[in-house]
């Protein structure tokens, strides 16, 4: 009898497990190509193509391609991260240069960046809290030794930066998520008593500094500029000749846990996206693991920000570190917070590698799990500035302020191949290239449009097929080109 009862219990348990499993089984997702067409948009070297519609493709049946048929394979039923946005930084340098343009060219620039129809539809922005290298000079918002921040004022920003931010928001249709980053606390809050050359935040001023973020955010918001998020510190492991402040991983963790996180919550700013690290890919995993393995710090952190300047050490761009960070902490977002081509040279404004660096980074960062991607200055002058320490760089668009002229580099168009077509809320989907010369990423927008970006950095003209669920549409990738294929 006992044996029979045991058998009955085992069977009952098995039936329960099966029943529970049936409840959790998700329906198989499908995607039908049907009569969908593919609109092809191309930017290519040695051509006039600049996000130009070059052809319309149709799908034909191709159940199983041979190895000899180059393909970009896409599976819309495999979904990854959700896109937050793509954009650029509204710095002092961009704002001061913008102010030197005629009203006509100011409007042209705003349309070029923020209109999704006539421009490339940026949907994200960053700005600096107090001065950075891309400011005409160093400045702060409080007077010396004012730990209570009674003298806090953003009057400096009202001349150039705030007007640009407000116009950018308007040009984007009234909504432009903005995140903010400090380069350095006021000198008197630091152990080196200087805005520059690194230094550390003095323990006695940790709370004052945490209060400073709140003051800045609430002041900007009261002036009509909603703040979406903030980073703890721009490049916290850099000792620079410009504004900088060093935070070790442990220092940043403890500042978030004991000061910044609680202060944001107590001030009613818990919804702001708090971004840690905000430095290069080389140390992103070490920084993320130190901060996010501490649950009391991690609970305040929305995501990990990173830059692409690990190349200054002689390294290539380390996308594997980004992917490993995403895999280790899938509940935290990854956001590319800054990148630009350094060492400005007016003779290289037409250099095709400017755009290719952006395309390579964006494809690989998105494929590694990145949810948002933000360029550095949206606009710089004919010298690659202004910059108060001579750290001149490239931007996607430069202004010849002497002749009131805008110069669009191919970096603008390369970024546009993503930002114009892949919209906030889109889901990255499965994609793989059968040829290493064809790099790709793919997203499914909320309106059902499927967007595939394909980049060819080689000197070769490459025929390939966009293959989805047994259907293929064939096209050709031009040498040194980037193409966006929109399936609808």
């Amino acid at each position: 009898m006992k044996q029979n009862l045991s058998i009955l219990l085992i069977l009952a348990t098995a039936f329960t497990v099966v029943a529970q499993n049936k409840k959790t089984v998700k329906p198989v997702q499908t995607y039908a190509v049907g009569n969908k067409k593919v609109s092809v948009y191309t930017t290519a070297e040695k051509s006039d193509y600049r996000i130009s519609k070059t052809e319309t493709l149709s799908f034909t049946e191709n159940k199983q391609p041979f190895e000899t048929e180059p393909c970009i394979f896409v599976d819309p039923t495999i979904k990854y991260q959700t896109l937050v946005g793509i954009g650029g930084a509204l710095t002092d340098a961009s704002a001061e240069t913008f102010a030197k343009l005629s009203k006509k060219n100011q409007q042209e620039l705003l349309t070029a960046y923020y209109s999704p129809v006539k421009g490339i539809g940026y949907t994200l922005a960053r700005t600096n809290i107090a001065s950075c290298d891309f400011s005409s000079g160093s400045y702060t918002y409080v007077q010396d030794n004012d730990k209570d921040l009674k003298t806090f004022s953003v009057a400096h920003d009202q001349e150039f930066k705030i007007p640009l931010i407000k116009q950018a928001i308007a040009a984007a249709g009234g909504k432009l998520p903005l995140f903010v980053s400090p380069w350095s606390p006021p000198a008197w809050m630091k152990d080196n008593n200087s805005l520059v050359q690194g230094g550390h935040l003095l323990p006695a001023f940790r709370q004052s500094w945490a209060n400073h973020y709140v003051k800045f955010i609430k002041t900007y918001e009261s002036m009509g500029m909603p703040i979406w998020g903030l980073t703890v510190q721009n490049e916290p492991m850099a000792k620079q000749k410009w504004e900088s402040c060093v935070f070790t991983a442990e220092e940043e963790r403890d500042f978030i846990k004991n000061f910044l996180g609680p202060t944001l919550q107590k001030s009613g700013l818990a919804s702001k996206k708090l971004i840690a690290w905000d430095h290069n890919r080389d140390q992103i995993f070490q920084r993320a693991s130190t901060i996010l393995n501490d649950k009391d710090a991690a609970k305040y952190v929305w995501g990990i920000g990173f830059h692409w300047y690990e190349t200054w050490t002689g390294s290539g761009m380390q996308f594997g570190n980004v992917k490993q960070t995403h895999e280790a902490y899938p509940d935290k977002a990854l956001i590319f917070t800054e990148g630009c081509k350094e060492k400005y040279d007016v003779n290289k404004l037409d250099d095709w590698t400017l755009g290719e660096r952006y395309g390579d980074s964006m494809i690989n960062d998105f494929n590694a799990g990145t949810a948002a991607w933000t360029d550095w200055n949206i606009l710089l002058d004919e010298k690659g500035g202004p910059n108060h320490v001579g750290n001149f760089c490239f931007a996607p668009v430069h202004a010849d302020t002497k002749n009131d002229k805008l110069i669009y580099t191919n970096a603008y168009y390369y970024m546009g191949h993503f930002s114009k077509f892949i919209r906030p809320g889109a889901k990255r989907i499965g994609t793989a290239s059968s040829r290493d010369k064809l790099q790709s990423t793919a997203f499914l927008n909320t309106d059902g449009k499927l967007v595939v970006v394909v980049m060819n950095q080689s000197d070769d003209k490459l025929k390939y097929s966009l293959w989805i669920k047994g259907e293929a549409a064939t096209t050709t990738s031009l040498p040194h080109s980037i193409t966006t294929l929109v399936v609808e």
Side-chain angles (χ1 to χ4, degrees), residues 126 132-133 181-184 231-238 240 242-246 277-279 307 309 337-338 376:
R126 181 193 191 205
C132 64
D133 46 334
S181 305
W183 266 243
S184 176
T231 72
V232 180
Q233 168 64 45
N234 177 72
E235 299 186 348
M237 287 310 298
Q240 304 283 25
W242 56 85
E243 289 80 351
S244 47
C245 183
V246 174
W277 188 220
D278 198 9
H279 205 165
H307 301 179
Y309 308 113
T337 47
E338 184 186 319
W376 192 207

Side-chain angles (χ1 to χ4, degrees), residues 232 251-263 274-277 291 296-301:
V232 180
E251 286 171 339
E252 185 176 9
R253 175 198 66 200
D254 293 347
F255 179 62
I256 291 169
K257 176 169 62 176
N258 300 321
F259 296 94
L260 185 54
T263 300
L274 182 59
I275 301 161
W277 188 220
I291 294 171
D296 293 326
K299 68 183 180 183
Y300 297 114
V301 177

Side-chain angles (χ1 to χ4, degrees), residues 393-453:
C393 296
F394 288 89
V397 183
H398 283 266
D400 177 350
T401 58
K402 294 175 183 175
N403 298 300
D404 188 34
K405 182 182 176 185
L406 290 171
I407 303 162
Y408 294 83
T409 75
N410 68 317
Y412 166 83
Y413 299 102
Y414 268 71
M415 284 201 70
H417 274 273
F418 301 85
S419 60
K420 184 178 179 70
F421 302 99
I422 306 167
R423 307 303 291 167
K427 284 276 189 185
R428 184 172 71 87
I429 56 177
T431 182
S433 173
S434 68
R435 295 292 187 273
D436 63 348
K437 289 180 180 178
L438 295 174
Q439 297 174 265
S440 68
T441 192
F443 285 79
L444 187 62
N445 280 318
T446 56
D447 63 2
K449 290 181 182 178
L450 192 156
V451 179
V452 185
V453 180

Side-chain angles (χ1 to χ4, degrees), residues 158-172:
Q158 290 180 285
E159 186 177 5
F160 299 115
K161 194 166 64 170
I162 287 173
L164 174 58
I165 292 171
K166 287 185 174 182
Q167 288 179 76
I169 293 170

Side-chain angles (χ1 to χ4, degrees), residues 282-359:
D282 51 4
Q283 294 187 20
I284 185 174
F285 181 76
Q286 180 259 349
R287 182 67 54 142
S289 63
T290 302
I291 294 171
L292 299 179
N293 287 348
D294 185 321
K295 64 178 182 8
D296 293 326
K299 68 183 180 183
Y300 297 114
V301 177
W302 172 80
I304 304 295
F306 63 96
H307 301 179
W308 73 16
Y309 308 113
E310 65 267 24
T311 53
W312 79 271
T313 63
S315 169
M317 293 199 282
Q318 296 183 292
F319 304 113
N321 290 350
V322 178
K323 185 177 182 182
Q324 186 168 345
T325 303
H326 175 64
E327 291 173 346
Y329 307 99
D331 59 325
K332 300 299 182 183
L334 289 170
I335 173 171
F336 183 89
T337 47
E338 184 186 319
C340 74
K341 178 70 170 66
E342 300 159 289
K343 298 180 180 177
Y344 177 79
D345 180 347
V346 68
N347 297 311
K348 293 185 177 179
L349 283 170
D350 293 327
D351 191 330
W352 204 255
T353 63
L354 287 175
E356 289 185 331
R357 182 169 181 181
Y358 278 84

Side-chain angles (χ1 to χ4, degrees), residues 27-34 36 38 59 72-81 425-432 441-452 466-472 485-488:
V28 176
Q29 292 180 309
T30 59
Y31 181 89
V33 172
K36 288 183 169 66
V38 185
F59 285 97
I72 301 295
F73 297 106
V74 175
D75 188 340
T77 68
I78 297 174
K79 294 184 173 70
Y80 300 99
Q81 78 274 19
K427 284 276 189 185
R428 184 172 71 87
I429 56 177
T431 182
T441 192
F443 285 79
L444 187 62
N445 280 318
T446 56
D447 63 2
K449 290 181 182 178
L450 192 156
V451 179
V452 185
L466 174 65
W467 188 97
I468 305 173
K469 299 291 184 181
E471 303 279 335
L485 300 99
V486 182
V487 183
E488 58 183 313

